[in-house]
Amino acid sequence: MDRIPVAVLGATGVVGQRFVQLLADHPTFEITSLTASERKVGQRYADACHWILSPQPPPSAAGMILQKSEPNLNARVIFSALPASIAMELEPQFAQAGYAVCSNSSAYRSAEDMPMIIPEVNADHLALISRQQNERGWSGFIVTSPNCTTTGIVMPLKPLHEAFGLRQIFAVSMQAVSGAGYPGVSSLDIIDNVVTLIPGEEEKIERETRELLGQIEEGRNIMADIIVSAQTNRVPVVDGHTICLSVGFEDKPSIENAIDVLSRFRGPDSMRSLPSAPDQPIIVRHEPDRPQPRWDRDSENGMAVSVGRVRACPLLDLRMVTTVHNTLRGAASGSILNAELLAAEKYVQ
Amino acid sequence: MDRIPVAVLGATGVVGQRFVQLLADHPTFEITSLTASERKVGQRYADACHWILSPQPPPSAAGMILQKSEPNLNARVIFSALPASIAMELEPQFAQAGYAVCSNSSAYRSAEDMPMIIPEVNADHLALISRQQNERGWSGFIVTSPNCTTTGIVMPLKPLHEAFGLRQIFAVSMQAVSGAGYPGVSSLDIIDNVVTLIPGEEEKIERETRELLGQIEEGRNIMADIIVSAQTNRVPVVDGHTICLSVGFEDKPSIENAIDVLSRFRGPDSMRSLPSAPDQPIIVRHEPDRPQPRWDRDSENGMAVSVGRVRACPLLDLRMVTTVHNTLRGAASGSILNAELLAAEKYVQ
Amino acid sequence: MDRIPVAVLGATGVVGQRFVQLLADHPTFEITSLTASERKVGQRYADACHWILSPQPPPSAAGMILQKSEPNLNARVIFSALPASIAMELEPQFAQAGYAVCSNSSAYRSAEDMPMIIPEVNADHLALISRQQNERGWSGFIVTSPNCTTTGIVMPLKPLHEAFGLRQIFAVSMQAVSGAGYPGVSSLDIIDNVVTLIPGEEEKIERETRELLGQIEEGRNIMADIIVSAQTNRVPVVDGHTICLSVGFEDKPSIENAIDVLSRFRGPDSMRSLPSAPDQPIIVRHEPDRPQPRWDRDSENGMAVSVGRVRACPLLDLRMVTTVHNTLRGAASGSILNAELLAAEKYVQ
Amino acid sequence: MDRIPVAVLGATGVVGQRFVQLLADHPTFEITSLTASERKVGQRYADACHWILSPQPPPSAAGMILQKSEPNLNARVIFSALPASIAMELEPQFAQAGYAVCSNSSAYRSAEDMPMIIPEVNADHLALISRQQNERGWSGFIVTSPNCTTTGIVMPLKPLHEAFGLRQIFAVSMQAVSGAGYPGVSSLDIIDNVVTLIPGEEEKIERETRELLGQIEEGRNIMADIIVSAQTNRVPVVDGHTICLSVGFEDKPSIENAIDVLSRFRGPDSMRSLPSAPDQPIIVRHEPDRPQPRWDRDSENGMAVSVGRVRACPLLDLRMVTTVHNTLRGAASGSILNAELLAAEKYVQ
């Protein structure tokens, strides 16, 4: 079968590079176009890109000439790693022109008719696409991925929510510097330090968690009725976000039941055979000191969220620690998994 | 006036070194003895000690010969930087022999008759000393200091508790490696990583917070009726613990009122003129991204707790971030401040 | 074909873990025994081992019961990751008992009759084995691997030596903390710091370089007549040593010729088809700022030494920078490649 | 005595902040003007500045309004922390207008008539000022400071040069990130890594070393006849450059003699009573593993260069390790010491 031609918008950034790395050898997709900002257009990808993944760009992409981010690319799927402000303007142009846009930006995550998808969590939200196309008159569409930290929270909480009914979430994150892009966080700010503010991040987590766990009813997402309090920090870690969670439920589970539900989770059948789907979306660590970002971020090719230290909470019901690879599951791989789902469900052909 | 002769037990460790550094030039105290474990006894301090504070031991201490930790030292105050298991055995021997023991270990923090003191918070708990001496038949006594992270939580919460009545505390810490002693945390465990377990730490914080905020009634500490949930982590920071707090009150204050109470706090008159007392025990940072450990740990010679990001919490009432220098205010300087208080209050003469 | 049974001595350390990881799925070798120090004997490998490679021990090894390091193991090849002092005593016992010992320790690197091997560099030194067996009356033998930093120096210098005749080497290293074992370097010593002493390291590099480039004549290694000056440092890097070299030659090459010789190097035919052999033992980086340890350490599964910044030196002839993965090429993988060579050359059957 | 009014050009950068910090309480100088780039002009210093020195700007500077870098400032001495390209244009305007410009930029370090000064090393080079003023018709003048790494090399080599006659220098540096300014080095480039290129740095060191050790003859600097080979690297250290040196002499000294010469060095009388002058410009460390940047950078308020590991070199004569605080002695404090010398020598009144 011929592979589906795809383009990566913003291919030289941290997430763009991950897209290029992951799509270099993909069974379903084939990169045909890479785009970058104006001043890099016309350069070879390998020359224009400060490649930060070891050791060098894939040969198939290295020689590609960077193009403008305009809706005339030879592709059917668009992976967008654009900054939010630019994505806001350009992504609709691609959707209107018939492309399937899988966006990693935050630009349209809160748009009511644009599904924000984690295939294991809310594949059914794809139903919003038809409303999106009808109301906007687009032949293509935009599907978004959630914030990387949100992913590390919602993936493990999804099966617990289904089983026991989430009511409250308290989350404190310790996030890797790759989440801020390149050059992103100055070394002078983070060596021997913790940066206690990530602008806008807490609000995103609080909103997106409720959206991802929401129910689609009559073409609308009824946000989940959960109170979320998030505090976010940047720590001197290259890749991998760590989150301390405390959660309250309608039906308080025992620790054993909670671990059992987490361990059994495999996601819906619809997504389990997708090329990038992990065998185990949630890996429960039983060691007393795990997960930790350096040891666990690459589990299942960076597609699994690791969970551990599941224990009682004096205030709510359960506490636990999770880690997620922020530029793989939490960004590029997550968007690619979304595109694989779209292809499997015939949204892209 | 002659300075009071003091000894440092466990003088070669991370906290022991801080004691030596801080007491080298102290107006009230004068180091007369340093002790260490058996195999170092008889060596010069500078030779036996892997000094990790820049650049070298104070000349007055460098040539002192290390002694055994036995209650025959020429001193009236004993600063104990011993590991908990050894402190458990030795500190009572010193107290019985008439020494005033200011302990930085966790050995006796939960003993009912041994006051755990932060002068700004609960100087009145010194009243337990007479009970301790009576019941145990000791001529000396033991006073303890709380865990370093507890200090970073309770200092800022004390005035808020007095003003608004604390009910619930969520705390997630990101702790410096110096808190684990030397050699402590292996570099292989912490570079590019977060260690998500600090054994025993969460339990200490949850218990000590309630103890410090407790009321002495009839020679007993009635623990404060507050629910505390603590999660603790180690991050690649040399000095300075950072804590994300969310707190609930009986009388929910406005953000402005809370900041106002924090900013005005100076501690009781009894301690404000002590040599190591900070002018401002709590420093409220108004920048959106502060406090941070590298910038704020040394405020007021490491004696102030910095607080910032005071804002509403969707779950409880207020969220905030605090930092504390874990080996100064949270350890050695804290114990020295306690000893200064004991001297001022004539417990030591 | 049946795989050759092998044992790993000192299997729970940093290098021991690498052996276990790399041998879990090896085409030629099969782990049958793992050993550890007395107090761990009898425990499951996964329980006794603080596993520091992500995310967990290979399932085939996890359940193995740790044995004593005694020459009664069911194995033909012994991979030794023992500390030097213990290796000094135990390795000869295994060699005497008929085992082929591939040692990663420094214990016998300078023994005249024990070949220290890098297959690309001096496979012909295996000729020393027969002398070793004859003179010592052993049915087995010991083959050693050089120090990790030496490997990063000698690999790229070998083809230059052959082509242009090395006379002087000036080397300054910046070494990863994994080279010091676990727990090894304390985080308090290395965060925000450089440790400017690695005991014994400089002498090892200076001697081993001359030994590896020596000529075997009549059963003796005539050390190469090269002056080597090494200075070594520890830096806050997890894996991957970086070395700044300046070298002088008998026949000074142009920069282009030197790069050409480095780029063409493939090692002798005898080793090129070994399972762990890299396609390119030396990778020349042409970017102005490469190699760097985080980007280049994993090249060719950590088996290639990367070289870059080849340029003139005002004092000697050429300067360059090299990186080597210290626990793969510079330790466990290097020893495994040696064992593969021994199997291919029928020293092990 | 009234303090001399001074201005800091480029006051919001890493070095600019150090100038502001150090001059806040200076006995000889008083800050009257701070300048910054166009878009910050008119803002309060504390608002426009991302202050990276703990914990906050000095109150006396915090409220100052940033001005343009134009030669109409109310000051007699100008401390320039401008980028080289801007310094190139602006510094002569100030010199022409009569200001004494103490520059920390590299713009005019190689100008033949502009002295590059380390008071302990070459105070006599100030003689170039009169030539500069005569030839250019300026009423003011420019005096420069050397590169931070050069300072860490030349300070300790100066007395050795005088005593034994330097012929060759090999230098490999491991430099702190603060040397690259703010935001400077991206955390994604330096955590768990070494950056093996610092553009232009090696050339600067090789040239400046010879210039600083040169002799002024008839108004010209006769560069020292020393061969210098420098290799430079960036490591994950906040402050403090470390340099591995190997040096050859005309008269090879014994190790003891070399250490003796280093230990006795105090600099010329002319500079020893300057306010910022260290008691000991060179501190010889006798521990086997010192100096190290975190322990030694702050010695003598960051004004001393620490030297250790003095030992023989197989290739040249002696090897040693030095550390220097790159933003204090190697930048802001160095320029201030120069200005103090200019005031003492009546070049500024």
Side-chain angles (χ1 to χ4, degrees):
Chain A
M1 194 191 80
D2 280 357
R3 293 191 290 167
I4 297 171
V6 304
V8 178
L9 309 190
T12 61
V14 167
V15 172
Q17 292 186 24
R18 284 288 187 193
F19 275 124
V20 170
Q21 183 189 48
L22 295 161
L23 293 167
D25 224 21
H26 195 278
T28 314
F29 304 121
E30 177 178 17
I31 298 180
T32 54
S33 312
L34 301 175
T35 81
S37 56
E38 203 70 36
R39 63 186 178 79
K40 294 184 177 172
V41 169
Q43 297 183 46
R44 286 178 72 247
Y45 182 64
D47 297 339
C49 180
H50 180 88
W51 186 257
I52 59 159
L53 306 175
S54 57
Q56 56 197 342
S60 59
M64 293 184 73
I65 301 301
L66 286 165
Q67 301 178 247
K68 288 191 190 176
S69 299
E70 292 178 349
N72 58 1
L73 304 173
N74 171 27
R76 293 212 293 283
V77 175
I78 300 294
F79 292 105
S80 165
L82 297 171
S85 58
I86 299 175
M88 184 68 76
E89 184 195 341
L90 295 185
E91 289 178 2
Q93 298 178 12
F94 281 90
Q96 184 166 29
Y99 296 89
V101 179
C102 291
S103 173
N104 189 62
S105 108
S106 64
Y108 290 103
R109 283 185 201 146
S110 57
E112 285 216 340
D113 60 346
M114 306 225 186
M116 175 170 62
I117 300 291
I118 299 174
E120 289 91 334
V121 170
N122 65 336
D124 60 305
H125 288 202
L126 289 182
L128 292 172
I129 290 176
S130 61
R131 173 182 161 205
Q132 182 189 144
Q133 292 182 313
N134 288 342
E135 291 183 7
R136 298 189 187 243
W138 289 351
S139 51
F141 56 84
I142 296 174
V143 167
T144 69
S145 302
N147 173 281
C148 43
T149 307
T150 308
T151 303
I153 293 170
V154 170
M155 280 268 290
L157 293 188
K158 168 68 176 181
L160 296 175
H161 182 45
E162 294 222 327
F164 311 113
L166 274 167
R167 308 303 299 161
Q168 299 123 333
I169 303 173
F170 186 75
V172 176
S173 72
M174 293 164 282
Q175 302 187 206
V177 295
S178 62
Y182 182 85
V185 180
S186 166
S187 55
L188 271 173
D189 281 330
I190 200 72
I191 294 178
D192 184 23
N193 203 17
V194 172
V195 176
T196 51
L197 175 75
I198 305 177
E201 192 83 350
E202 298 172 352
E203 295 75 7
K204 287 180 195 167
I205 294 167
E206 295 175 355
R207 216 198 57 77
E208 293 177 15
T209 298
R210 299 175 58 234
E211 179 176 343
L212 283 161
L213 296 175
Q215 300 291 333
I216 303 296
E217 294 182 13
E218 303 180 11
R220 305 200 165 276
N221 184 348
I222 311 300
M223 309 267 281
D225 185 21
I226 301 169
I227 305 177
V228 186
S229 172
Q231 305 197 46
T232 56
N233 302 278
R234 194 77 69 190
V235 291
V237 168
V238 174
D239 287 316
H241 291 354
T242 305
I243 306 140
C244 288
L245 289 173
S246 180
V247 287
F249 297 98
E250 238 169 75
D251 298 319
K252 176 180 175 170
S254 69
I255 294 171
E256 294 68 31
N257 283 356
I259 290 176
D260 189 56
V261 164
L262 288 165
S263 302
R264 289 171 185 275
F265 183 68
R266 291 294 177 280
D269 290 343
S270 63
M271 55 76 55
R272 292 179 56 182
S273 56
L274 300 178
S276 302
D279 287 339
Q280 269 191 256
I282 300 170
I283 293 180
V284 178
R285 306 294 320 186
H286 298 280
E287 302 89 335
D289 61 350
R290 294 280 285 272
Q292 295 181 16
R294 185 145 56 86
W295 313 140
D296 294 295
R297 60 192 173 201
D298 290 324
S299 293
E300 297 259 8
N301 296 315
M303 288 303 282
V305 173
S306 296
V307 182
R309 302 202 72 214
V310 182
R311 60 206 194 283
C313 178
L315 256 172
L316 299 178
D317 294 329
L318 289 181
R319 291 181 287 191
M320 66 193 75
V321 177
T322 75
T323 61
V324 61
H325 196 303
N326 54 300
T327 67
L328 294 176
R329 166 53 89 166
S333 305
S335 290
I336 291 172
L337 188 66
N338 284 352
E340 292 170 3
L341 179 67
L342 290 168
E345 304 278 321
K346 309 299 180 199
Y347 285 91
V348 176
Q349 298 189 321
Chain B
M1 194 190 79
D2 279 357
R3 294 191 289 167
I4 298 171
V6 303
V8 177
L9 308 190
T12 62
V14 167
V15 173
Q17 292 185 24
R18 283 288 188 192
F19 275 125
V20 170
Q21 183 188 48
L22 295 161
L23 294 166
D25 224 23
H26 196 278
T28 313
F29 304 121
E30 176 176 18
I31 297 180
T32 53
S33 313
L34 301 176
T35 81
S37 57
E38 204 71 35
R39 63 186 178 80
K40 293 184 177 172
V41 169
Q43 296 182 47
R44 285 178 72 248
Y45 181 65
D47 297 339
C49 180
H50 180 88
W51 186 257
I52 59 160
L53 305 175
S54 58
Q56 57 196 341
S60 58
M64 293 183 74
I65 301 303
L66 287 165
Q67 300 177 248
K68 288 192 191 177
S69 299
E70 292 179 348
N72 58 2
L73 304 173
N74 171 26
R76 291 212 295 281
V77 174
I78 300 294
F79 292 104
S80 166
L82 297 170
S85 58
I86 299 175
M88 184 69 76
E89 184 195 341
L90 295 184
E91 290 178 1
Q93 297 178 13
F94 281 90
Q96 184 165 27
Y99 296 89
V101 178
C102 291
S103 174
N104 189 62
S105 109
S106 64
Y108 290 102
R109 282 187 202 144
S110 57
E112 286 216 340
D113 60 345
M114 307 227 185
M116 176 170 62
I117 301 291
I118 299 175
E120 288 91 335
V121 170
N122 65 337
D124 60 306
H125 287 204
L126 289 181
L128 291 173
I129 289 177
S130 60
R131 174 182 160 203
Q132 182 189 143
Q133 292 183 314
N134 289 341
E135 290 182 8
R136 300 191 186 240
W138 290 350
S139 52
F141 55 85
I142 297 174
V143 167
T144 70
S145 300
N147 173 281
C148 43
T149 308
T150 308
T151 303
I153 294 170
V154 171
M155 280 268 291
L157 294 188
K158 168 68 174 180
L160 296 176
H161 182 45
E162 295 222 326
F164 312 112
L166 273 168
R167 308 303 298 163
Q168 299 122 334
I169 304 174
F170 257 126
V172 175
S173 71
M174 293 165 283
Q175 302 186 205
V177 295
S178 61
Y182 182 84
V185 181
S186 165
S187 56
L188 271 173
D189 281 331
I190 200 72
I191 295 177
D192 185 22
N193 203 17
V194 172
V195 176
T196 51
L197 176 75
I198 305 177
E201 192 83 350
E202 298 172 352
E203 296 75 7
K204 286 180 197 166
I205 294 167
E206 294 174 356
R207 215 198 58 76
E208 294 177 13
T209 298
R210 298 173 58 233
E211 180 176 341
L212 283 161
L213 296 175
Q215 299 291 334
I216 303 296
E217 294 182 11
E218 302 178 11
R220 307 201 163 275
N221 184 349
I222 312 299
M223 308 266 281
D225 185 20
I226 301 169
I227 305 178
V228 186
S229 173
Q231 305 198 47
T232 57
N233 303 277
R234 193 77 69 190
V235 291
V237 168
V238 174
D239 287 316
H241 292 353
T242 305
I243 305 140
C244 287
L245 289 173
S246 180
V247 287
F249 298 97
E250 239 169 77
D251 298 320
K252 176 180 174 170
S254 69
I255 295 171
E256 294 67 32
N257 282 356
I259 290 176
D260 188 56
V261 164
L262 288 165
S263 302
R264 289 172 184 275
F265 183 67
R266 291 293 178 283
D269 290 343
S270 63
M271 56 76 56
R272 291 178 58 183
S273 56
L274 301 178
S276 303
D279 287 338
Q280 268 191 258
I282 300 170
I283 294 180
V284 178
R285 305 295 319 186
H286 298 280
E287 303 89 334
D289 62 350
R290 294 281 285 273
Q292 295 183 18
R294 185 145 56 88
W295 312 140
D296 294 295
R297 59 194 174 199
D298 290 324
S299 292
E300 297 259 7
N301 297 314
M303 287 303 283
V305 173
S306 295
V307 182
R309 302 202 70 213
V310 183
R311 60 206 194 283
C313 178
L315 256 174
L316 299 178
D317 294 329
L318 288 181
R319 293 183 287 192
M320 65 194 76
V321 177
T322 76
T323 60
V324 61
H325 196 302
N326 54 299
T327 66
L328 294 176
R329 167 51 89 164
S333 305
S335 290
I336 292 171
L337 188 65
N338 284 352
E340 292 169 2
L341 180 66
L342 291 166
E345 304 279 320
K346 309 297 180 198
Y347 285 90
V348 176
Q349 296 189 319
Chain C
M1 195 191 78
D2 280 356
R3 293 191 290 167
I4 297 171
V6 303
V8 178
L9 308 189
T12 60
V14 167
V15 173
Q17 292 185 23
R18 283 288 187 192
F19 275 125
V20 170
Q21 182 188 47
L22 294 161
L23 293 166
D25 223 22
H26 196 277
T28 313
F29 304 121
E30 177 177 17
I31 297 179
T32 54
S33 312
L34 301 175
T35 81
S37 56
E38 203 71 35
R39 62 186 179 80
K40 293 184 177 171
V41 168
Q43 297 183 47
R44 287 177 72 246
Y45 181 65
D47 297 338
C49 181
H50 179 88
W51 186 256
I52 60 159
L53 306 174
S54 57
Q56 57 196 341
S60 59
M64 293 184 74
I65 301 302
L66 287 165
Q67 301 179 248
K68 287 190 189 178
S69 299
E70 292 178 348
N72 58 1
L73 304 173
N74 170 28
R76 292 212 294 283
V77 174
I78 300 294
F79 291 105
S80 166
L82 297 171
S85 58
I86 299 174
M88 185 68 76
E89 184 195 342
L90 295 185
E91 289 178 1
Q93 298 178 12
F94 281 90
Q96 185 166 27
Y99 296 89
V101 179
C102 291
S103 174
N104 188 63
S105 109
S106 64
Y108 290 102
R109 282 186 202 145
S110 57
E112 286 215 341
D113 60 346
M114 306 224 186
M116 176 170 62
I117 301 291
I118 299 174
E120 288 91 334
V121 170
N122 66 337
D124 59 305
H125 287 204
L126 289 182
L128 292 172
I129 290 176
S130 60
R131 174 182 160 203
Q132 182 189 144
Q133 292 183 314
N134 289 342
E135 291 182 6
R136 300 192 187 240
W138 289 351
S139 50
F141 56 85
I142 297 175
V143 167
T144 68
S145 300
N147 173 280
C148 43
T149 307
T150 308
T151 303
I153 294 170
V154 171
M155 281 268 290
L157 293 188
K158 168 68 175 182
L160 296 176
H161 182 44
E162 295 222 326
F164 312 112
L166 273 168
R167 307 304 299 161
Q168 298 123 333
I169 302 173
F170 185 75
V172 175
S173 72
M174 294 164 282
Q175 303 187 204
V177 295
S178 61
Y182 182 86
V185 181
S186 165
S187 56
L188 270 174
D189 281 331
I190 200 70
I191 294 177
D192 184 22
N193 203 17
V194 172
V195 176
T196 52
L197 176 75
I198 305 177
E201 191 83 351
E202 298 173 352
E203 297 75 7
K204 286 180 196 167
I205 294 167
E206 293 175 358
R207 217 197 56 76
E208 294 177 13
T209 298
R210 299 174 57 234
E211 179 177 340
L212 284 160
L213 296 175
Q215 299 291 332
I216 303 296
E217 294 183 12
E218 303 179 9
R220 304 201 166 276
N221 184 348
I222 313 299
M223 307 265 282
D225 186 20
I226 300 169
I227 305 177
V228 186
S229 172
Q231 304 198 48
T232 56
N233 303 278
R234 194 75 70 189
V235 291
V237 168
V238 174
D239 287 316
H241 291 354
T242 305
I243 306 139
C244 287
L245 290 172
S246 180
V247 288
F249 298 97
E250 239 169 75
D251 299 320
K252 176 180 173 168
S254 69
I255 295 170
E256 294 67 31
N257 283 356
I259 289 175
D260 189 55
V261 164
L262 288 165
S263 302
R264 289 171 184 275
F265 183 67
R266 292 293 179 278
D269 290 343
S270 63
M271 56 73 58
R272 292 178 56 183
S273 56
L274 299 177
S276 302
D279 288 338
Q280 269 191 256
I282 300 169
I283 293 180
V284 178
R285 305 294 321 186
H286 298 280
E287 302 89 335
D289 61 350
R290 294 282 284 270
Q292 294 183 17
R294 185 145 57 88
W295 312 140
D296 293 296
R297 60 193 174 200
D298 291 324
S299 293
E300 297 259 7
N301 296 316
M303 287 303 282
V305 173
S306 295
V307 182
R309 300 202 72 212
V310 184
R311 61 206 195 283
C313 178
L315 257 172
L316 299 178
D317 294 329
L318 288 181
R319 291 182 288 191
M320 65 194 74
V321 177
T322 76
T323 60
V324 61
H325 196 302
N326 55 299
T327 66
L328 294 176
R329 167 52 89 164
S333 304
S335 290
I336 292 172
L337 188 65
N338 284 353
E340 292 169 1
L341 180 66
L342 290 166
E345 304 277 322
K346 309 298 182 199
Y347 286 90
V348 176
Q349 296 189 318
Chain D
M1 194 192 81
D2 280 357
R3 294 191 290 167
I4 298 171
V6 304
V8 178
L9 309 189
T12 61
V14 167
V15 172
Q17 292 185 23
R18 284 288 187 193
F19 275 125
V20 171
Q21 183 188 47
L22 295 161
L23 293 167
D25 224 22
H26 196 278
T28 313
F29 304 122
E30 176 176 17
I31 298 180
T32 54
S33 311
L34 301 175
T35 81
S37 56
E38 203 72 35
R39 62 185 179 80
K40 295 184 177 171
V41 169
Q43 298 183 46
R44 286 177 72 247
Y45 182 65
D47 298 338
C49 180
H50 179 88
W51 186 256
I52 60 161
L53 306 174
S54 57
Q56 57 196 342
S60 58
M64 293 183 75
I65 301 302
L66 287 165
Q67 300 178 248
K68 289 190 189 178
S69 299
E70 292 178 347
N72 58 2
L73 304 173
N74 170 27
R76 291 211 294 281
V77 175
I78 300 293
F79 293 104
S80 165
L82 297 170
S85 58
I86 299 174
M88 184 68 76
E89 185 195 341
L90 295 185
E91 290 178 2
Q93 298 178 12
F94 281 90
Q96 185 165 27
Y99 295 89
V101 178
C102 291
S103 174
N104 190 63
S105 108
S106 64
Y108 290 101
R109 283 185 201 145
S110 58
E112 287 214 339
D113 60 346
M114 306 223 186
M116 175 169 62
I117 302 290
I118 299 176
E120 289 91 334
V121 170
N122 65 338
D124 60 305
H125 287 202
L126 289 182
L128 291 172
I129 290 176
S130 61
R131 174 183 160 203
Q132 183 189 143
Q133 293 183 313
N134 288 340
E135 290 183 7
R136 299 191 186 240
W138 290 351
S139 51
F141 55 85
I142 296 175
V143 167
T144 69
S145 302
N147 172 280
C148 43
T149 307
T150 307
T151 303
I153 294 171
V154 170
M155 280 268 290
L157 293 188
K158 167 68 175 183
L160 296 175
H161 182 45
E162 295 221 327
F164 311 114
L166 274 167
R167 308 302 298 160
Q168 299 122 334
I169 303 173
F170 256 126
V172 176
S173 71
M174 294 165 282
Q175 302 186 206
V177 295
S178 61
Y182 183 84
V185 181
S186 165
S187 55
L188 271 172
D189 282 330
I190 201 71
I191 294 177
D192 185 22
N193 203 17
V194 172
V195 176
T196 52
L197 176 75
I198 305 178
E201 191 83 351
E202 298 173 352
E203 297 74 9
K204 285 180 196 166
I205 294 168
E206 294 175 356
R207 217 197 58 76
E208 293 177 14
T209 298
R210 298 173 60 233
E211 180 176 342
L212 283 161
L213 296 175
Q215 299 291 333
I216 303 296
E217 295 182 11
E218 301 180 11
R220 304 201 165 275
N221 184 348
I222 312 299
M223 307 265 282
D225 185 20
I226 301 168
I227 306 177
V228 186
S229 173
Q231 305 197 47
T232 56
N233 302 279
R234 194 76 69 189
V235 292
V237 168
V238 174
D239 286 317
H241 292 355
T242 304
I243 305 140
C244 288
L245 289 174
S246 179
V247 287
F249 297 98
E250 239 169 76
D251 299 320
K252 176 179 175 171
S254 69
I255 295 171
E256 293 68 32
N257 283 355
I259 290 176
D260 189 56
V261 164
L262 288 165
S263 303
R264 289 171 184 275
F265 184 68
R266 292 293 178 282
D269 290 343
S270 64
M271 56 77 55
R272 291 178 59 183
S273 56
L274 301 177
S276 302
D279 288 338
Q280 270 191 255
I282 300 170
I283 293 179
V284 179
R285 305 294 320 186
H286 298 280
E287 303 89 334
D289 62 350
R290 294 282 286 270
Q292 295 182 16
R294 186 145 56 89
W295 312 140
D296 294 295
R297 61 193 173 201
D298 290 324
S299 292
E300 297 260 9
N301 297 316
M303 287 304 282
V305 173
S306 295
V307 182
R309 302 202 70 214
V310 182
R311 61 206 194 283
C313 178
L315 257 173
L316 299 178
D317 295 328
L318 288 181
R319 293 182 286 192
M320 66 194 74
V321 177
T322 76
T323 61
V324 61
H325 196 302
N326 54 298
T327 66
L328 294 176
R329 168 51 90 163
S333 304
S335 290
I336 292 172
L337 187 64
N338 284 352
E340 291 169 0
L341 179 66
L342 290 167
E345 304 278 321
K346 309 297 181 199
Y347 285 91
V348 176
Q349 297 189 318

